[in-house]
């Protein structure tokens, strides 16, 4: 989107002088700085929680709180892979609207999670990240498009 600023001035001869300047790139840069600052605040808050929090569950809860409150994420969840290596239990979660997930256990071998970023990550034993979940998932996971339309990163 083009962001412009118009400045005008009446000249002594009665004519109007106008200058139009494009501020699009400046606004994109400012938004990127805000995003990086939020992520840094999230990382800093999580590091602080790791050092200061006593107890595993308190740490998981603190991490979710930091992600939502300092990071500006709509929701955050912590999952633990169960001993079977196929299911994951949600051990902590928080969302800005206070909702809890409708599920507490995820089966990574069954659709649609068997073909999700989470399922792929666990099955392949590597980190998978995306800053554009809609584009990443649109063709791979069409059955999940409605559920992920509000997500931007994972």
């Amino acid at each position: 989107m083009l962001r412009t600023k118009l400045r005008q001035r009446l000249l002594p001869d009665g004519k109007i002088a106008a200058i139009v300047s494009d501020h699009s790139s400046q606004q994109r840069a400012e938004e990127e700085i805000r995003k990086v600052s939020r992520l840094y605040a999230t990382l800093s808050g999580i590091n602080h929680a790791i050092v200061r929090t006593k107890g595993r569950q308190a740490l998981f809860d603190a991490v979710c709180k930091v992600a939502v409150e300092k990071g500006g994420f709509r929701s955050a969840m912590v999952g633990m892979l169960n001993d079977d290596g196929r299911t994951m239990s949600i051990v902590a979660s928080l969302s800005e609207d206070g909702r809890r997930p409708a599920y507490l256990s995820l089966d990574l071998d069954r659709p649609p999670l068997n073909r999700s970023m989470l399922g792929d990550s666990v099955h392949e034993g590597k980190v998978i990240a995306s800053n554009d979940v809609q584009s990443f998932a649109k063709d791979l996971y069409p059955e999940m498009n409605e559920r992920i339309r509000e997500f931007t990163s994972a």
Side-chain angles (χ1 to χ4, degrees):
M1 175 183 282
L2 183 64
R3 301 282 185 193
T4 59
K5 184 174 184 179
L6 173 65
R7 290 183 292 179
Q8 55 190 11
R9 187 173 83 181
L10 183 60
L11 300 174
D13 63 1
K15 295 180 180 176
I16 296 175
I19 299 174
V20 177
S21 52
D22 178 7
H23 290 265
S24 301
S25 60
Q26 178 182 350
Q27 285 185 325
R28 282 191 300 271
E30 289 171 356
E31 179 57 34
E32 186 65 22
I33 289 169
R34 282 190 293 274
K35 179 180 172 184
V36 170
S37 295
R38 277 193 329 267
L39 292 175
Y40 176 76
T42 303
L43 179 60
S44 177
I46 289 172
N47 285 337
H48 185 268
I50 290 169
V51 171
R52 304 262 187 250
T53 305
K54 295 186 182 350
R56 191 164 135 168
Q57 187 60 49
L59 175 61
F60 296 154
D61 293 338
V63 165
C64 290
K65 184 175 181 177
V66 166
V68 172
E69 293 180 2
K70 292 191 190 277
F73 292 92
R74 291 185 188 152
S75 64
M77 291 190 298
V78 175
M80 297 287 291
L81 192 60
N82 295 325
D83 291 338
D84 62 12
R86 297 184 342 259
T87 58
M88 179 174 285
S89 295
I90 304 300
V91 295
S93 67
L94 183 67
S95 66
E96 63 185 7
D97 62 7
R99 291 186 322 189
R100 296 286 182 187
Y103 42 82
L104 296 176
S105 182
L106 307 173
D107 187 340
L108 303 175
D109 284 340
R110 296 185 58 192
L113 291 175
N114 64 327
R115 295 183 300 134
S116 69
M117 289 172 55
L118 177 59
D120 290 348
S121 177
V122 169
H123 292 119
E124 295 174 22
K126 64 182 182 180
V127 174
I128 298 174
S130 173
N131 288 324
D132 188 359
V133 174
Q134 286 92 0
S135 294
F136 181 86
K138 187 172 91 177
D139 296 324
L140 292 175
Y141 321 114
E143 68 277 8
M144 293 183 71
N145 284 343
E146 182 62 27
R147 291 160 72 189
I148 64 170
R149 70 182 160 76
E150 293 183 9
F151 290 89
T152 56
S153 61

